[in-house]
Amino acid sequence: MKILSWFLILAGVAGIVSVRIFEDSLFYDPFLNYFHDATKNAEFPDFEWAKLILSHVFRFVLNLISSLVIIHFLFKNKNWTAQAAVLISIIFVITFPIYLYCVSDRFEIGYLFSFYIRRFVIQPLILLLIIPLFYYRKQILIK
């Protein structure tokens, strides 16, 4: 059973890595190249709001599923998995409108601020905080 759990954890990691590797072909995101080329004075790209929003929500869902697989099989606690889903969703609900505001403002609020808010929207960075948090919680409960 332990081998199956580790296999599913690796599958979750592979899911997150796959989202990143195939982001160009899976998602509509005209800002991928903008942020890559922004140091070279790239022009703000034209984009479609609906496609951008749907693409980011789809990416969030894929990252959420992969993250929850990792958390569930790492800690084997349904309540913690549900808590992780809520925490990750809360972060998305907070950062996504901020990111959309940055886009509507053409990143005038600040390049680095917009860049890092975008990171929280498109990548499961909160997972890097949740895993140590839950590990610490598990250690406290063992004592």
Side-chain angles (χ1 to χ4, degrees), residues 15 22 35 51 53:
F22 299 111
F35 281 110
K51 283 176 72 173
I53 291 169

Side-chain angles (χ1 to χ4, degrees), residues 1-12 69 73-74 76:
M1 194 64 168
K2 201 166 195 156
I3 293 173
L4 178 61
S5 291
W6 281 108
F7 175 77
L8 292 170
I9 291 167
L10 289 175
V69 166
F73 290 102
L74 198 56
K76 296 184 179 92

Side-chain angles (χ1 to χ4, degrees), residues 64-139:
L64 177 66
I65 291 167
S66 296
S67 297
L68 294 179
V69 166
I70 292 168
I71 290 168
H72 182 74
F73 290 102
L74 198 56
F75 298 104
K76 296 184 179 92
N77 186 318
K78 290 180 184 179
N79 290 330
W80 291 10
T81 304
Q83 288 173 4
V86 169
L87 286 170
I88 294 169
S89 298
I90 287 171
I91 296 299
F92 183 77
V93 166
I94 291 169
T95 58
F96 192 48
I98 295 169
Y99 173 66
L100 294 178
Y101 173 77
C102 292
V103 169
S104 72
D105 194 37
R106 301 175 65 89
F107 305 127
E108 292 294 324
I109 195 167
Y111 171 79
L112 284 177
F113 177 78
S114 301
F115 176 79
Y116 287 113
I117 285 292
R118 182 176 178 278
R119 287 280 178 219
F120 274 98
V121 169
I122 69 170
Q123 295 176 357
L125 296 177
I126 193 70
L127 184 63
L128 297 175
L129 299 173
I130 290 175
I131 290 174
L133 172 77
F134 285 1
Y135 179 76
Y136 178 73
R137 180 196 268 179
K138 183 177 179 180
Q139 295 306 310

